[in-house]
Amino acid sequence: MWKFIVRRLLITTPQIVLLSAIVFILAQLMPGDALTGLIDPTVKQERLEELRVQLGLDNPWYIQYRDWVAGIVQGDFGRSFIYKMDVTELIGQRIVNTIWLSVVSVFFIYAIGLPLGIISGRYNDRLIDQLITGYTYIGFATPIFIFGLIAVWIFGFVLGWFPTGGSVAPGLDPGTLEYYLSKIHHVLLPALSIALIGTVGTVQYLRSEIVDTKQRDFIITARAKGASESRVYNRHIFRNSILPIAAFFGYEIVNLINGTVLIEQIFSYPGMGNLFLESIVRRDTTVAITLVLISGIGAILGALLSDIILSMVDPRIRIK
Amino acid sequence: MSNTLLEIKNLKTSFRIGEEYYAAVDNVSLNVNKNEVLAIVGESGSGKSALAFSVMGLHNRAKIEGEIVFKGRNIANLPSKQMNKFRGNELAMIFQDPLTALNPLMEIGRQIDEALILHNKNMPKKKRKEYIIDLLEKVEIPRPKHVYNQFPHELSGGMRQRVIIAIAIANQPELLIADEPTTALDVTIQAQILDLMRELKDDLGSGVILITHDLGVVAEMADRVAVMYAGEIVEIADVETLFENPQHPYTRSLLSSIPLVDDAQDKLHVIHGIVPSLKNLPRQGCRFSARIPWIDESAHEENPELHEISPGHFVRCTCYKHFYFPEENKEEQNHDTAQS
Ligand SMILES: Nc1ncnc2c1ncn2[C@@H]1O[C@H](COP(=O)(O)OP(=O)(O)OP(=O)(O)O)[C@@H](O)[C@H]1O
Ligand SMILES: [Mg+2]
């Protein structure tokens, strides 16, 4: 297993380097540079040239790339033209919010998806399975933003059970119990909206895994030993069916972090997704580039996490 | 008779296809005695596995009619809770494909242990482990202590089949059903597994139902043989009789299609065609008649029955009396024309 993990880690490094290069090229292709946003008719062209030299923008690309990477490694992603502040500072709190939203969503995705998938697979083609499958079809057919809008409208505006915006009620001191309760209260509705729609894939996947596993030969072996139905399910079918789901865990998280863009918009939730849309619309290049880079690295790490989980749970990989 | 271990009476196992049930095992009666090997032979699709699964109660969506009397008790359609007391205990099964019959995520030791836990609740863990290691030794697995902690994918097919045998014999079954236990293995491994099975059988004194389509295996292992075709038994006899004096056209064609090196005639009769699919099985008259069209229709019985032509030797339908291979016929004709 360790060999596998080390090898897997070794692949990750060139992946990240390649990603950074692509993102850098992307940034170069964008119109304007770090000074475009500063343009102020009163500033003279000569002064601008001076500033460019000062910032190293006249250097050959490889020097610029090196400087850029060196900055990133030190946590310096440049400045936002719009907010006139360091990107790091701007993104910091929002990343925390988005990760929090994603973690809660993932929790609900599995809390809803695993039991439904198991029931649906075990009792396949019975009424309960048909109901669950019906739900998954609806979930697939419903765009997340429509579902989110309906949820905000009903549970936020009409019933008033949940707040309709923000990540925490204003005026609470971080660290107090109220503060954390408020955070949970704010995250519940968007997270549940994401989970109710996002879990249908897990339900269907788990269902079909279970239906497949049920017919495998080793299940007959287990029955031939005299194992009871519940034992056959608990010891043999579920473990084998959950394996591929466990392997998708890392990807699921990454998907979510990327997928929160729309939901954050609908729930006016101050996360990265929200910021990303804004940075695109307002051409805040440094912010957009940073977010692309971060989610790219997230995707690579998610894949890494998935592979590591798989290597730990599957003896066919663990042993080698 | 007290020597009878299993008695199957008029067993009919049907599967539902669309709206209707089709019998894959049709009116089969047979019995297995203690310490006896009954071989069941027949081509693919003739219903051998369906029969074995019926005895084990492993079909989940089949209609089972008739009686399966095991040690004096009818176990056909027994609720699974009661059936589980027999399965893996007094009744055990060995499967065809060792590569898929073991749980890929469970250590070998634990898979055998499961059979023990289920039927020997009082045996302490340490005892069970010792017992399993002995068992692995008994089925001639080298380094049993090491294998105990290994996973199936670390073992070869032959080794895995030994593990499956170990699982089956863990509780000293009185009846062992082996469904093509060597089909998936190399020839040399096949011989080893068969030797092992014979030893274990003599050891345990169990009755064995050995399903195979390899007549070499039959000759080597069986005491009696039942030949199945299209869900029915067409001939049943002790092994010597069956090989020396086969009667049913299907049995004869099975036997003559094995090449014998020292066969003076050096001739192979092959009957073309396959067992029809379940839906298309003929349900009336002699089911084999379609594959021997050169035999006159009047040779067949309308409702073919098993006839006891000598003690313990049963043949279905009267067509066996009139059967000849088409090549024989041609030769005769050639002979005739040469003469005239
Ligand atoms: N669960 C099932 N549902 C429907 N039809 C089935 C089922 N199991 C078996 N059959 C059909 O019953 C017939 C007998 O099948 P069976 O598996 O018993 O044959 P077999 O003699 O064991 O052949 P093989 O040598 O290939 O193992 C076949 O036509 C098969 O398609
Ligand atoms: Mg079979």
Side-chain angles (χ1 to χ4, degrees):
Chain A
M1 177 174 72
W2 291 115
K3 244 191 199 160
F4 174 82
I5 292 180
V6 168
R7 209 161 9 139
R8 190 62 188 71
L9 278 170
L10 286 179
I11 305 173
T12 307
T13 321
Q15 278 179 328
I16 291 180
V17 169
L18 189 65
L19 172 78
S20 74
I22 292 171
V23 171
F24 179 75
I25 292 168
L26 217 64
Q28 297 301 303
L29 294 177
M30 292 240 184
D33 58 34
L35 293 176
T36 324
L38 288 177
I39 285 182
D40 177 341
T42 61
V43 179
K44 289 214 183 69
Q45 196 61 31
E46 295 87 77
R47 174 75 188 126
L48 272 180
E49 289 306 322
E50 238 171 78
L51 276 171
R52 282 216 163 85
V53 174
Q54 217 176 318
L55 289 172
L57 293 178
D58 60 337
N59 286 335
W61 64 269
Y62 50 89
I63 306 253
Q64 284 196 42
Y65 177 65
R66 190 199 61 197
D67 291 347
W68 180 69
V69 170
I72 288 171
V73 171
Q74 288 159 28
D76 175 12
F77 291 92
R79 282 177 74 81
S80 156
F81 310 144
I82 307 293
Y83 287 90
K84 304 276 187 285
M85 64 196 288
D86 281 346
V87 174
T88 322
E89 206 179 314
L90 178 65
I91 290 180
Q93 185 53 41
R94 292 178 177 251
I95 283 196
V96 174
N97 283 343
T98 293
I99 289 178
W100 166 237
L101 174 60
S102 304
V103 167
V104 177
S105 303
V106 166
F107 170 77
F108 282 127
I109 283 184
Y110 289 112
I112 297 167
L114 294 184
L116 288 189
I118 286 173
I119 292 171
S120 193
R122 175 162 181 176
Y123 301 107
N124 69 314
D125 298 334
R126 310 246 197 104
L127 180 66
I128 181 84
D129 168 47
Q130 285 163 353
L131 290 176
I132 294 171
T133 310
Y135 157 63
T136 63
Y137 288 147
I138 294 172
F140 270 124
T142 313
I144 182 109
F145 62 93
I146 297 210
F147 187 74
L149 281 174
I150 295 172
V152 172
W153 184 62
I154 295 179
F155 298 102
F157 290 106
V158 177
L159 295 172
W161 292 354
F162 293 99
T164 55
S167 70
V168 66
L172 291 175
D173 283 334
T176 61
L177 183 63
E178 282 82 17
Y179 177 82
Y180 288 116
L181 286 178
S182 170
K183 284 215 110 165
I184 292 174
H185 195 202
H186 278 78
V187 86
L188 272 182
L189 194 56
L192 274 171
S193 305
I194 292 174
L196 282 170
I197 297 297
T199 198
V200 296
T202 307
V203 174
Q204 286 206 344
Y205 197 58
L206 185 54
R207 176 188 185 275
S208 72
E209 278 298 318
I210 289 177
V211 172
D212 276 359
T213 310
K214 265 204 246 194
Q215 283 151 9
R216 307 254 306 267
D217 286 352
F218 65 84
I219 300 302
I220 299 173
T221 308
R223 291 217 167 87
K225 285 184 209 172
S228 67
E229 207 55 7
S230 62
R231 191 186 175 94
V232 169
Y233 273 92
N234 296 334
R235 307 261 167 146
H236 296 279
I237 298 182
F238 294 151
R239 269 203 68 195
N240 280 278
S241 311
I242 280 185
L243 200 69
I245 306 259
F248 269 117
F249 182 74
Y251 295 106
E252 184 86 59
I253 291 187
V254 174
N255 265 341
L256 265 176
I257 292 182
N258 297 333
T260 52
V261 173
L262 288 170
I263 280 291
E264 288 181 0
Q265 198 66 26
I266 289 162
F267 288 84
S268 318
Y269 189 87
M272 287 202 309
N274 218 331
L275 184 65
F276 183 65
L277 285 184
E278 188 183 85
S279 67
I280 300 256
V281 172
R282 299 175 69 179
R283 293 177 185 278
D284 199 351
T285 319
T286 33
V287 175
I289 290 294
T290 306
L291 290 175
V292 169
L293 183 67
I294 288 176
S295 61
I297 290 176
I300 291 171
L301 294 182
L304 177 69
L305 180 66
S306 276
D307 285 353
I308 289 178
I309 291 177
L310 189 62
S311 77
M312 288 193 295
V313 291
D314 191 337
R316 283 160 293 194
I317 300 177
R318 189 179 350 139
I319 303 297
K320 276 179 204 152
Chain B
M1 211 174 49
S2 65
N3 208 27
T4 306
L5 194 58
L6 179 81
E7 192 173 4
I8 297 176
K9 294 182 203 160
N10 306 322
L11 177 70
K12 185 168 177 180
T13 301
S14 322
F15 298 110
R16 195 173 152 158
I17 303 174
E19 288 304 301
E20 272 176 82
Y21 279 94
Y22 295 87
V25 177
D26 209 346
N27 203 17
V28 164
S29 299
L30 51 80
N31 61 315
V32 184
N33 296 328
K34 286 178 189 159
N35 210 358
E36 177 190 55
V37 178
L38 173 74
I40 300 181
V41 292
E43 282 163 296
S44 198
S46 50
K48 309 180 297 291
S49 298
L51 173 65
F53 274 52
S54 305
V55 175
M56 292 294 289
L58 287 172
H59 288 301
N60 42 8
R61 290 184 191 184
K63 185 162 83 179
I64 294 180
E65 294 157 283
E67 282 179 47
I68 301 168
V69 181
F70 177 62
K71 297 204 303 178
R73 183 164 173 202
N74 184 9
I75 57 169
N77 293 312
L78 211 58
S80 65
K81 215 169 171 185
Q82 288 172 48
M83 197 62 201
N84 280 339
K85 296 207 179 92
F86 289 100
R87 276 197 287 246
N89 195 14
E90 294 153 80
L91 267 178
M93 186 154 173
I94 297 171
F95 298 93
Q96 173 172 354
D97 190 353
L99 298 185
T100 56
L102 291 170
N103 186 334
L105 301 185
M106 229 189 213
E107 296 91 337
I108 300 299
R110 277 181 56 212
Q111 305 205 34
I112 303 174
D113 199 21
E114 187 170 33
L116 290 180
I117 292 171
L118 287 165
H119 302 287
N120 284 298
K121 298 208 168 55
N122 304 323
M123 205 177 195
K125 195 167 181 217
K126 221 176 131 218
K127 265 263 178 61
R128 293 203 309 265
K129 181 162 181 181
E130 282 167 19
Y131 181 84
I132 292 166
I133 289 174
D134 282 352
L135 205 56
L136 288 172
E137 228 155 56
K138 213 180 206 171
V139 295
E140 292 157 16
I141 288 182
R143 298 198 298 155
K145 285 196 180 109
H146 179 67
V147 170
Y148 183 92
N149 290 314
Q150 279 188 308
F151 286 92
H153 72 273
E154 297 173 87
L155 304 180
S156 68
M159 284 300 139
R160 286 190 227 185
Q161 192 60 302
R162 289 168 194 272
V163 171
I164 290 163
I165 293 173
I167 292 174
I169 64 166
N171 295 308
Q172 289 120 354
E174 292 172 52
L175 179 67
L176 187 62
I177 302 177
D179 190 355
E180 310 200 23
T182 56
T183 309
L185 304 172
D186 304 345
V187 184
T188 46
I189 312 287
Q190 274 183 16
Q192 293 171 12
I193 295 284
L194 289 175
D195 282 347
L196 175 67
M197 284 183 55
R198 199 175 13 217
E199 266 169 48
L200 293 171
K201 185 217 99 188
D202 290 342
D203 228 31
L204 297 170
S206 351
V208 177
I209 295 180
L210 176 66
I211 294 172
T212 179
H213 38 223
D214 184 341
L215 288 162
V217 171
V218 174
E220 207 173 316
M221 302 280 295
D223 299 311
R224 278 193 306 133
V225 190
V227 181
M228 270 185 95
Y229 182 79
E232 290 180 329
I233 290 185
V234 293
E235 184 159 5
I236 188 162
D238 61 69
V239 68
E240 291 84 16
T241 312
L242 194 100
F243 276 92
E244 278 158 25
N245 189 20
Q247 289 300 321
H248 194 277
Y250 183 57
T251 315
R252 286 179 60 189
S253 68
L254 277 182
L255 284 171
S256 65
S257 61
I258 11 172
L260 295 176
V261 181
D262 54 354
D263 191 340
Q265 297 179 24
D266 189 41
K267 199 166 51 185
L268 235 65
H269 298 296
V270 180
I271 294 207
H272 297 284
I274 50 162
V275 183
S277 75
L278 200 48
K279 236 177 145 163
N280 302 322
L281 280 190
R283 302 283 168 190
Q284 289 248 307
C286 178
R287 297 186 178 190
F288 196 58
S289 60
R291 286 176 67 182
I292 44 173
W294 62 91
I295 301 296
D296 196 73
E297 279 200 22
S298 62
H300 299 288
E301 254 172 294
E302 204 167 311
N303 290 306
E305 283 179 31
L306 279 174
H307 304 280
E308 188 163 18
I309 58 169
S310 64
H313 187 180
F314 294 86
V315 185
R316 191 176 294 277
C317 193
T318 43
C319 60
Y320 74 91
K321 292 181 189 155
H322 310 278
F323 178 72
Y324 56 89
F325 285 106
E327 295 88 339
E328 289 172 352
N329 187 33
K330 217 184 270 163
E331 254 166 47
E332 272 171 32
Q333 281 174 349
N334 288 347
H335 198 63
D336 286 349
T337 38
Q339 263 187 342
S340 59

